[in-house]
Short mmCIF file of all heavy atoms in Angstrom, two decimals:
data_model
loop_
_atom_site.label_atom_id
_atom_site.label_comp_id
_atom_site.label_asym_id
_atom_site.label_seq_id
_atom_site.Cartn_x
_atom_site.Cartn_y
_atom_site.Cartn_z
N GLN R 184 -56.34 -19.23 -19.83
CA GLN R 184 -57.30 -20.31 -20.07
C GLN R 184 -58.50 -20.28 -19.13
O GLN R 184 -58.35 -20.11 -17.91
CB GLN R 184 -56.59 -21.66 -19.91
CG GLN R 184 -57.47 -22.89 -20.01
CD GLN R 184 -57.97 -23.20 -21.42
OE1 GLN R 184 -58.81 -22.47 -21.96
NE2 GLN R 184 -57.48 -24.27 -22.01
N HIS R 185 -59.68 -20.42 -19.70
CA HIS R 185 -60.91 -20.65 -18.95
C HIS R 185 -61.00 -22.16 -18.73
O HIS R 185 -61.37 -22.91 -19.63
CB HIS R 185 -62.10 -20.13 -19.75
CG HIS R 185 -63.44 -20.39 -19.13
ND1 HIS R 185 -64.14 -19.44 -18.45
CD2 HIS R 185 -64.21 -21.51 -19.10
CE1 HIS R 185 -65.29 -19.93 -18.03
NE2 HIS R 185 -65.36 -21.19 -18.41
N SER R 186 -60.63 -22.61 -17.54
CA SER R 186 -60.43 -24.04 -17.29
C SER R 186 -61.75 -24.73 -16.97
O SER R 186 -62.14 -24.85 -15.80
CB SER R 186 -59.42 -24.23 -16.16
OG SER R 186 -58.20 -23.60 -16.48
N GLN R 187 -62.41 -25.22 -18.00
CA GLN R 187 -63.70 -25.88 -17.85
C GLN R 187 -63.81 -26.98 -18.90
O GLN R 187 -64.13 -26.72 -20.06
CB GLN R 187 -64.86 -24.88 -18.01
CG GLN R 187 -66.24 -25.50 -17.91
CD GLN R 187 -67.36 -24.49 -18.13
OE1 GLN R 187 -67.11 -23.32 -18.43
NE2 GLN R 187 -68.60 -24.93 -17.98
N ASP R 188 -63.52 -28.20 -18.49
CA ASP R 188 -63.64 -29.32 -19.41
C ASP R 188 -65.10 -29.48 -19.79
O ASP R 188 -65.94 -29.81 -18.94
CB ASP R 188 -63.12 -30.59 -18.74
CG ASP R 188 -63.07 -31.78 -19.68
OD1 ASP R 188 -63.94 -31.87 -20.58
OD2 ASP R 188 -62.17 -32.63 -19.52
N PRO R 189 -65.46 -29.26 -21.07
CA PRO R 189 -66.87 -29.29 -21.45
C PRO R 189 -67.51 -30.66 -21.35
O PRO R 189 -68.74 -30.77 -21.30
CB PRO R 189 -66.86 -28.78 -22.89
CG PRO R 189 -65.48 -29.06 -23.39
CD PRO R 189 -64.58 -28.91 -22.20
N SER R 190 -66.68 -31.71 -21.29
CA SER R 190 -67.26 -33.05 -21.14
C SER R 190 -67.60 -33.36 -19.69
O SER R 190 -68.34 -34.29 -19.39
CB SER R 190 -66.28 -34.11 -21.67
OG SER R 190 -65.10 -34.16 -20.89
N LEU R 191 -67.08 -32.55 -18.77
CA LEU R 191 -67.37 -32.73 -17.34
C LEU R 191 -68.29 -31.64 -16.79
O LEU R 191 -69.01 -31.87 -15.81
CB LEU R 191 -66.06 -32.72 -16.55
CG LEU R 191 -65.10 -33.87 -16.83
CD1 LEU R 191 -63.75 -33.62 -16.15
CD2 LEU R 191 -65.69 -35.20 -16.36
N ALA R 192 -68.24 -30.47 -17.41
CA ALA R 192 -69.13 -29.36 -17.02
C ALA R 192 -69.55 -28.67 -18.30
O ALA R 192 -68.77 -27.90 -18.89
CB ALA R 192 -68.42 -28.40 -16.08
N GLY R 193 -70.75 -28.95 -18.75
CA GLY R 193 -71.24 -28.40 -20.00
C GLY R 193 -71.65 -26.94 -19.89
O GLY R 193 -71.54 -26.32 -18.82
N SER R 194 -72.15 -26.41 -20.98
CA SER R 194 -72.48 -24.99 -21.04
C SER R 194 -73.60 -24.60 -20.08
O SER R 194 -73.73 -23.43 -19.73
CB SER R 194 -72.86 -24.60 -22.47
OG SER R 194 -73.99 -25.34 -22.90
N GLN R 195 -74.42 -25.55 -19.66
CA GLN R 195 -75.51 -25.24 -18.74
C GLN R 195 -75.10 -25.35 -17.27
O GLN R 195 -75.86 -24.96 -16.38
CB GLN R 195 -76.70 -26.17 -19.00
CG GLN R 195 -77.40 -25.94 -20.33
CD GLN R 195 -78.05 -24.57 -20.39
OE1 GLN R 195 -78.87 -24.23 -19.54
NE2 GLN R 195 -77.68 -23.78 -21.39
N ALA R 196 -73.92 -25.91 -17.00
CA ALA R 196 -73.47 -26.09 -15.61
C ALA R 196 -73.37 -24.73 -14.92
O ALA R 196 -72.67 -23.84 -15.40
CB ALA R 196 -72.13 -26.80 -15.58
N CYS R 197 -74.05 -24.59 -13.78
CA CYS R 197 -74.12 -23.26 -13.15
C CYS R 197 -74.09 -23.29 -11.63
O CYS R 197 -74.24 -22.25 -10.99
CB CYS R 197 -75.38 -22.53 -13.63
SG CYS R 197 -76.93 -23.40 -13.30
N CYS R 198 -73.89 -24.47 -11.05
CA CYS R 198 -73.84 -24.57 -9.59
C CYS R 198 -72.78 -25.58 -9.21
O CYS R 198 -72.63 -26.62 -9.87
CB CYS R 198 -75.20 -25.01 -9.04
SG CYS R 198 -75.30 -25.13 -7.23
N HIS R 199 -72.00 -25.27 -8.19
CA HIS R 199 -71.02 -26.23 -7.69
C HIS R 199 -71.70 -27.58 -7.47
O HIS R 199 -72.74 -27.67 -6.81
CB HIS R 199 -70.43 -25.73 -6.38
CG HIS R 199 -69.49 -26.69 -5.73
ND1 HIS R 199 -68.17 -26.79 -6.10
CD2 HIS R 199 -69.68 -27.61 -4.74
CE1 HIS R 199 -67.58 -27.73 -5.37
NE2 HIS R 199 -68.48 -28.24 -4.53
N GLU R 200 -71.11 -28.63 -8.05
CA GLU R 200 -71.74 -29.95 -7.95
C GLU R 200 -71.65 -30.48 -6.52
O GLU R 200 -70.57 -30.55 -5.92
CB GLU R 200 -71.05 -30.93 -8.90
CG GLU R 200 -71.72 -32.29 -8.94
CD GLU R 200 -71.08 -33.21 -9.96
OE1 GLU R 200 -71.44 -33.10 -11.15
OE2 GLU R 200 -70.21 -34.01 -9.57
N GLY R 201 -72.80 -30.82 -5.97
CA GLY R 201 -72.85 -31.30 -4.60
C GLY R 201 -74.29 -31.38 -4.13
O GLY R 201 -75.23 -31.38 -4.93
N GLU R 202 -74.44 -31.42 -2.83
CA GLU R 202 -75.77 -31.55 -2.24
C GLU R 202 -76.69 -30.42 -2.66
O GLU R 202 -77.86 -30.64 -2.98
CB GLU R 202 -75.64 -31.61 -0.71
CG GLU R 202 -76.97 -31.81 0.04
CD GLU R 202 -77.73 -30.51 0.29
OE1 GLU R 202 -77.06 -29.45 0.37
OE2 GLU R 202 -78.98 -30.56 0.38
N LEU R 203 -76.16 -29.19 -2.70
CA LEU R 203 -77.01 -28.04 -3.02
C LEU R 203 -77.48 -28.08 -4.46
O LEU R 203 -78.65 -27.81 -4.75
CB LEU R 203 -76.26 -26.74 -2.75
CG LEU R 203 -77.08 -25.46 -2.94
CD1 LEU R 203 -78.20 -25.38 -1.92
CD2 LEU R 203 -76.19 -24.22 -2.84
N SER R 204 -76.61 -28.41 -5.40
CA SER R 204 -77.01 -28.46 -6.80
C SER R 204 -78.10 -29.51 -7.01
O SER R 204 -79.05 -29.30 -7.77
CB SER R 204 -75.82 -28.75 -7.72
OG SER R 204 -75.30 -30.04 -7.48
N GLY R 205 -77.98 -30.65 -6.30
CA GLY R 205 -79.01 -31.66 -6.41
C GLY R 205 -80.33 -31.20 -5.82
O GLY R 205 -81.40 -31.42 -6.40
N ARG R 206 -80.27 -30.53 -4.67
CA ARG R 206 -81.50 -30.06 -4.02
C ARG R 206 -82.18 -28.96 -4.83
O ARG R 206 -83.41 -28.90 -4.91
CB ARG R 206 -81.16 -29.56 -2.62
CG ARG R 206 -82.33 -28.98 -1.84
CD ARG R 206 -82.08 -29.03 -0.35
NE ARG R 206 -80.81 -28.44 0.02
CZ ARG R 206 -80.62 -27.14 0.27
NH1 ARG R 206 -81.66 -26.31 0.15
NH2 ARG R 206 -79.45 -26.67 0.64
N LEU R 207 -81.38 -28.11 -5.46
CA LEU R 207 -81.95 -27.00 -6.24
C LEU R 207 -82.32 -27.42 -7.66
O LEU R 207 -83.01 -26.67 -8.37
CB LEU R 207 -80.96 -25.84 -6.31
CG LEU R 207 -80.58 -25.17 -4.99
CD1 LEU R 207 -79.55 -24.07 -5.22
CD2 LEU R 207 -81.81 -24.61 -4.28
N GLY R 208 -81.84 -28.58 -8.09
CA GLY R 208 -82.13 -29.02 -9.45
C GLY R 208 -81.36 -28.24 -10.50
O GLY R 208 -81.83 -28.08 -11.63
N LEU R 209 -80.16 -27.78 -10.15
CA LEU R 209 -79.33 -27.00 -11.06
C LEU R 209 -78.20 -27.87 -11.60
O LEU R 209 -77.64 -28.70 -10.87
CB LEU R 209 -78.74 -25.79 -10.36
CG LEU R 209 -79.74 -24.74 -9.86
CD1 LEU R 209 -79.02 -23.65 -9.05
CD2 LEU R 209 -80.50 -24.11 -11.02
N PRO R 210 -77.84 -27.72 -12.88
CA PRO R 210 -76.75 -28.50 -13.46
C PRO R 210 -75.44 -28.29 -12.71
O PRO R 210 -75.03 -27.16 -12.46
CB PRO R 210 -76.65 -27.97 -14.90
CG PRO R 210 -78.01 -27.40 -15.19
CD PRO R 210 -78.48 -26.83 -13.89
#
Side-chain angles (χ1 to χ4, degrees):
Q184 175 73 290
H185 176 101
S186 303
Q187 178 182 4
D188 186 327
S190 66
L191 295 171
S194 60
Q195 292 296 303
C197 58
C198 181
H199 176 82
E200 185 176 277
E202 183 275 334
L203 184 66
S204 65
R206 178 157 52 87
L207 297 178
L209 296 174

